[in-house]
Amino acid sequence: MLPIDIFLSALANGLMTGAVYALVALGLTLVYGVLHIINFAHGATLTAAMYAVWVAHDRFGLDPYVAVFPLTVLFFALGYALQRYVIGPASHGSDSNILLVTLGLSILIENALLAGFRSDTRSIDVPYGFSVVEIGALFLSLPKVIAFAASFVVAGLLWLLMAHTDIGKAIRAVSREKTGAALSGIHVEHVYAVTFGLGAACLAIAAALLMPTFLVNPRVGNAFVLVAFTIVVLGGMGSVAGALLGGLIIGVVESLSGLYFGESLGQIGIFLIFILVLLVRPSGLFGARA
Amino acid sequence: MKGATPYLPILVAVAALAVLPVSATSNTLLNFLTFALIVTLAAQGWNLLAGYGGQFSFGHAAFFGTGAYAMALLQVRFGVNAWAALPVAVLLGAAVGFAIGFLAFRARLRGAYFALVTLAFAEVFRILANAWAFTGGAAGVLVPLRLQVSAMQFEDKRALYWLALGFVAAVLVLTAAVARSRFGARLVALRENEDAARALGVDTLRVKLGAITLSAGITALAGCLYTQKFLYLDAGLAYGTWISVEALLAPIVGGLGTVFGPLIGALVLLGLGETTKIAIGHVLSGSLPGIDLVVFGALLVLVVAYAPNGVIGLADRLLRRRPRPAGEGAP
């Protein structure tokens, strides 16, 4: 058996990684909840956002925590335009077409990044990158603690937006009853695009929170995308609270299985959970039974 | 189409492809065509399940990789003759297809959920093959070079091409036969409306299981030939997403749910990928990694947007449009 403090530090690390996973999953679950489709370009968009953070730091000397503000706006706009002018028109409203179009976009984005940045792994060097916070007997990485806290803030803001603003109400109306919403004067295409934009904005925030402790290469999104799908499935499709809780669970599972089974097999736990949940309870642990 | 008509174009196409390397013996062309035929097999496997049955798998790498690894490991670890290893590898691939299908279809996974679960299975296999010493781990597995007919390795590179072409011909005939069979009709019925098909008394689980087993076996065959062509495998090559993507792109670009779609799509896509690589290499005096895939991705979006029936649908539309004005006496 491993000493208790190693176990506890793995647990804490898992929770912190899980919070960022949750942020990545939040965008995915939001888009699913409204458009009822699965966005395969989600991982590639995250990779693009991570490169954007890298470029902001490397070329313009911007700290990720500063760059996050313009980048969130930029990715919201990109997500909006992508849904409104590419995914929507190209897919003619059919689910399987959206699946294929977003798959096509993910291949395109990922390989455009590969062509532009080559396959080298890149990271950024911030002065606080290796700073540590001491909580009890635990030594926690400062950027990870910030990421953990920020994820909860973003999830809270998103919840407020959905519950209390006009656009939030419109999004919920469209997700429940598309035709009815359209009849009562809601511009459905606009609401779709806003939802997609919000999903992309979440990714920009996640990217800024990840970069101080993470590496980026053109394929890094792949590692996140199935994890995010797992969280979305686990938390119940379309549920914000489910995504948050699912993210934390998956973070802990990955961290602990990495501790006990080794790095290379750590990820397998996630896929197995994913397959099991889909096979046994496709509506998710917290979702209503379909 | 009735009678022998669907089989005639297969004969013509295969005959044309068969004589191609007799005159043109360029190694580059031969390698390209052989690889395109291997992709065609994987794509035809995918097309049977998705094009005819409407079940979009994003994880056909699970079947391709199982065929490829079984072919390699049976020879390397157990000293099995390559010709005996091939049918065993195909059956193993089909068995994996049946198992995944049984789990997924029993749980009533459809659409995006089915796509995701197949992708997850392929990833599990990839991680296992990368970690397990038996499969060579991260170093992969090397099939020793023995240029003997018994090892399915040939002095003349054209032999493997013709062998692959033979398999493609057989699979084209099989697809045409399935499309005209009662099983094929049930498969299409369930693609069009699963609930209605079930209401009409189609045992949808059984039809879907049959389709995925057949589909997986054909894709595993592609994996076998891949092993014999390159004599080297690792987890990324065998179980990587690249083959899942090629297997689904080729039929979509060529023509989903058609006999020739995968063949045409594979030739068009791979040809386009090669051309792009060469063209960009010339312009920038150096190759850009991934640029062929950028074209793939853009093409997938464009095909879905403007040519939902692929190259075949496009050709059909163009050919039909021309005689119509003449027949109607238009100027």
Side-chain angles (χ1 to χ4, degrees):
Chain A
M1 271 307 280
L2 291 157
I4 190 76
D5 50 331
I6 292 182
F7 174 81
L8 281 179
S9 106
L11 190 70
N13 267 308
L15 283 174
M16 288 184 293
T17 316
V20 180
Y21 282 166
L23 205 51
V24 175
L26 221 50
L28 199 66
T29 206
L30 197 65
V31 169
Y32 180 84
V34 180
L35 287 87
H36 301 288
I37 50 103
I38 279 168
N39 171 20
F40 267 99
H42 203 68
T45 314
L46 175 68
T47 314
M50 287 172 83
Y51 273 108
V53 175
W54 182 82
V55 168
H57 182 269
D58 198 68
R59 298 287 143 82
F60 303 103
L62 278 180
D63 187 274
Y65 299 143
V66 178
V68 69
F69 295 100
L71 285 180
T72 303
V73 176
L74 176 72
F75 270 78
F76 176 83
L78 282 176
Y80 185 97
L82 211 56
Q83 166 61 31
R84 186 84 190 264
Y85 304 110
V86 181
I87 299 173
S91 55
H92 311 293
S94 125
D95 281 3
S96 59
N97 283 351
I98 300 177
L99 219 61
L100 295 172
V101 170
T102 54
L103 178 71
L105 281 174
S106 85
I107 297 169
L108 188 134
I109 296 169
E110 190 178 286
N111 288 286
L113 291 171
L114 179 65
F117 293 96
R118 303 297 159 124
S119 54
D120 326 339
T121 300
R122 291 166 201 267
S123 59
I124 58 176
D125 201 9
V126 284
Y128 49 83
F130 293 101
S131 302
V132 178
V133 192
E134 200 182 333
I135 300 173
L138 292 176
F139 292 91
L140 304 175
S141 142
L142 175 67
K144 286 192 172 179
V145 173
I146 292 175
F148 182 75
S151 298
F152 277 88
V153 172
V154 171
L157 286 175
L158 202 61
W159 180 80
L160 280 176
L161 180 102
M162 294 295 282
H164 295 293
T165 63
D166 284 346
I167 186 68
K169 283 172 194 157
I171 290 173
R172 281 185 293 141
V174 170
S175 76
R176 290 260 172 77
E177 187 51 66
K178 190 168 124 189
T179 327
L183 285 174
S184 59
I186 293 174
H187 188 345
V188 174
E189 293 307 312
H190 172 71
V191 170
Y192 274 11
V194 168
T195 313
F196 218 87
L198 286 174
C202 286
L203 290 180
I205 301 171
L209 294 174
L210 277 171
M211 276 314 282
T213 53
F214 233 81
L215 308 164
V216 58
N217 65 61
R219 310 232 177 271
V220 77
N222 287 337
F224 282 92
V225 75
L226 266 172
V227 173
F229 281 131
T230 311
I231 293 164
V232 167
V233 165
L234 190 68
M237 293 274 191
S239 157
V240 170
L244 201 55
L245 203 56
L248 297 178
I249 293 174
I250 290 298
V252 169
V253 165
E254 186 190 36
S255 174
L256 292 184
S257 62
L259 185 66
Y260 289 106
F261 305 117
E263 276 300 317
S264 65
L265 282 174
Q267 283 247 321
I268 221 171
I270 296 176
F271 296 126
L272 291 177
I273 289 181
F274 176 73
I275 292 170
L276 260 171
V277 172
L278 265 188
L279 296 182
V280 176
R281 198 179 157 83
S283 57
L285 294 181
F286 314 106
R289 187 113 219 189
Chain B
M1 287 201 249
K2 296 276 165 217
T5 33
Y7 301 106
L8 204 64
I10 296 175
L11 191 71
V12 174
V14 169
L17 282 168
V19 297
L20 212 54
V22 173
S23 50
T25 46
S26 144
N27 247 338
T28 323
L29 181 71
L30 199 60
N31 282 335
F32 168 79
L33 286 173
T34 311
F35 186 61
L37 289 179
I38 292 172
V39 169
T40 301
L41 283 173
Q44 194 65 270
W46 188 87
N47 186 41
L48 259 173
L49 181 65
Y52 290 97
Q55 311 300 313
F56 283 45
S57 147
F58 279 12
H60 258 52
F63 317 135
F64 179 87
T66 301
Y69 266 115
M71 185 76 187
L73 293 174
L74 281 169
Q75 294 180 73
V76 175
R77 299 257 190 268
F78 301 101
V80 176
N81 176 301
W83 297 92
L86 185 118
V88 178
V90 169
L91 283 178
L92 274 173
V96 167
F98 179 84
I100 292 179
F102 185 77
L103 292 170
F105 293 137
R106 271 279 305 271
R108 302 189 173 207
L109 296 181
R110 291 185 192 182
Y113 293 91
F114 176 70
L116 279 174
V117 88
T118 51
L119 181 60
F121 272 114
E123 282 293 287
V124 167
F125 286 174
R126 188 181 61 75
I127 294 172
L128 286 178
N130 198 47
W132 197 14
F134 182 71
T135 52
V141 46
L142 197 67
V143 178
L145 184 69
R146 280 183 302 138
L147 293 177
Q148 299 160 3
V149 176
S150 67
M152 211 185 277
Q153 297 177 23
F154 313 98
E155 298 257 9
D156 188 343
K157 276 189 163 188
R158 290 179 296 180
L160 189 66
Y161 169 78
W162 281 320
L163 181 67
L165 185 62
F167 281 125
V168 167
V171 168
L172 285 174
V173 169
L174 179 72
T175 311
V178 164
R180 287 150 53 87
S181 71
R182 189 177 275 271
F183 170 69
R186 288 183 174 139
L187 202 56
V188 171
L190 104 95
R191 172 187 76 193
E192 296 304 324
N193 189 335
E194 189 169 341
D195 298 316
R198 192 180 302 119
L200 287 172
V202 175
D203 184 347
T204 52
L205 178 65
R206 207 173 151 155
V207 172
K208 282 197 270 189
L209 274 178
I212 197 172
T213 308
L214 191 61
S215 167
I218 294 170
T219 302
L221 176 62
C224 294
L225 292 176
Y226 183 93
T227 295
Q228 289 317 107
K229 168 95 184 110
F230 296 100
L231 301 174
Y232 171 74
L233 275 183
D234 66 21
L237 292 170
Y239 286 120
T241 41
W242 74 272
I243 186 65
S244 297
V245 169
E246 301 261 11
L248 73 91
L249 269 183
I252 290 168
V253 168
L256 202 56
T258 62
V259 173
F260 283 104
L263 176 62
I264 294 172
L267 288 171
V268 168
L269 268 175
L270 296 175
L272 206 72
E274 282 304 309
T275 322
T276 329
K277 256 195 226 168
I278 294 166
I280 294 211
H282 272 299
V283 175
L284 298 172
S285 66
S287 74
L288 269 182
I291 198 71
D292 51 328
L293 287 171
V294 172
V295 175
F296 273 33
L299 205 68
L300 178 55
V301 176
L302 289 174
V303 167
V304 173
Y306 299 107
N309 299 318
V311 173
I312 290 182
L314 216 58
D316 240 22
R317 238 170 38 204
L318 294 177
L319 290 176
R320 284 213 187 117
R321 199 170 285 169
R322 223 173 288 150
R324 204 176 289 149
E328 288 163 10

